[in-house]
């Protein structure tokens, strides 16, 4: 299942890791390990935020994706299922529309 992982990172410990020259290396290690389909970084609610599109094949893998952000950045992590256009195409919207007129 394709999921959007959102990691909101508080200023600390991130600021300290930036000053120590470690933040980029840690992010690189996390991305190398998780191998997301896509990654974006942005501001959200005044805090640093990373958004990863991942393939979650088994819910028992949630800690594999969340713990690197919890342990390294004290991040708040959220998971949300997402669809690509081809997924939406298989959803049967026309049948649902007829069923729920």
């Amino acid at each position: 299942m394709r999921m959007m992982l959102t990691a909101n990172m508080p200023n600390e410990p991130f600021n300290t890791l930036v000053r120590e020259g470690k933040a980029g290396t840690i992010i690189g290690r996390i991305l190398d390990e998780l191998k997301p389909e896509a990654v974006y970084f942005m501001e959200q609610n005044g805090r640093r935020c990373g958004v990863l599109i991942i393939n979650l094949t088994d819910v028992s893998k949630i800690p594999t994706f969340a713990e690197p952000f919890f342990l390294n950045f004290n991040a708040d992590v959220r998971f949300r299922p997402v669809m690509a256009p081809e997924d939406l195409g298989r959803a049967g919207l026309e049948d649902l529309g007829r069923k729920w007129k």
Side-chain angles (χ1 to χ4, degrees), residues 12-68:
E12 285 303 331
F14 206 95
N15 284 350
T16 297
L17 293 169
V18 169
R19 288 183 186 108
E20 293 173 349
K22 297 177 183 177
T25 300
I26 294 169
I27 289 172
R29 285 181 47 221
I30 292 170
L31 297 179
D32 286 346
E33 178 71 24
L34 301 184
K35 297 179 182 20
E37 291 181 25
V39 181
Y40 303 95
F41 295 98
M42 61 187 188
E43 169 279 333
Q44 187 172 50
N45 299 319
R47 294 170 57 180
R48 295 174 180 98
C49 180
V51 176
L52 287 67
I53 304 300
I54 60 171
N55 187 11
L56 186 65
T57 57
D58 181 346
V59 294
S60 70
K61 299 295 182 192
I62 288 174
T64 301
F65 290 97
E67 290 299 328

